[in-house]
Amino acid sequence: MLPHETLQAWWFQTAAGIVTQTTSEREIVALETRYRISLPDDFRAYLQWAVPNTTNWDDADGNWWPIERISNIPDECEHEVAEPIATNASKHLFFVDWNIWGWAWAISCGEDETRGKVALINGQTDRYVADSFSEFVDRYVTDWHALC
């Protein structure tokens, strides 16, 4: 299954009540243009086919953001983040937080060796926790604690 299908199936199985929507190419391009990035393919497909239509909580207290809420680290985060994430903080997009911003995860959309990696941003031990959105989703739905 594709990552967005995995998420939708997990949300259904856990009775999260998360309603997803499709996103137009125009809206996706607007997000890319706003942050001067290009989205990794698996994350782009998630936004296109299964992004929540409003802020929603899942069974693990993850708060998945609608496309209108997705933002980069400088726009969202008040504290400094650790290296190597800080180097390209403006190229990292937050897409889910935990328990009203106990921490959050952001995907790297840069054109460097971090492209597609997902970072945990918690203000203490910021670090990459998955090499792709696909890996992040697979691990999230089986043991989200491993991503903390």
Side-chain angles (χ1 to χ4, degrees):
M1 277 196 293
L2 296 171
H4 65 275
E5 295 169 330
T6 300
L7 275 173
Q8 286 177 309
W10 185 69
W11 290 332
F12 179 78
Q13 290 168 347
T14 60
I18 294 177
V19 177
T20 61
Q21 66 182 16
T22 59
T23 304
S24 72
E25 181 67 14
R26 182 179 54 77
E27 291 173 286
I28 292 171
V29 169
L31 179 66
E32 291 177 317
T33 301
R34 176 178 179 195
Y35 291 115
R36 297 183 181 140
I37 56 158
S38 71
L39 299 168
D41 292 340
D42 54 358
F43 188 70
R44 178 181 256 276
Y46 158 72
L47 294 179
Q48 184 176 12
W49 301 112
V51 69
N53 66 354
T54 186
T55 303
N56 283 276
W57 294 80
D58 66 20
D59 195 50
D61 290 331
N63 185 18
W64 293 80
W65 298 2
I67 193 165
E68 298 83 16
R69 175 78 170 89
I70 291 174
S71 58
N72 72 2
I73 291 175
D75 282 355
E76 182 69 30
C77 199
E78 295 179 5
H79 63 79
E80 291 187 31
V81 297
E83 291 296 342
I85 300 159
T87 299
N88 288 316
S90 66
K91 304 292 183 188
H92 288 71
L93 298 182
F94 286 113
F95 60 94
V96 59
D97 70 89
W98 182 81
N99 202 20
I100 311 176
W101 244 107
W103 57 75
W105 291 279
I107 188 165
S108 173
C109 302
E111 297 298 330
D112 61 9
E113 68 280 353
T114 68
R115 181 171 178 75
K117 291 185 177 187
V118 176
L120 169 71
I121 307 299
N122 64 9
Q124 299 168 0
T125 57
D126 305 329
R127 66 193 181 284
Y128 291 105
V129 295
D131 288 334
S132 67
F133 183 69
S134 298
E135 179 188 331
F136 175 84
V137 169
D138 287 343
R139 292 176 61 201
Y140 188 91
V141 302
T142 56
D143 181 17
W144 68 269
H145 292 96
L147 297 164
C148 302

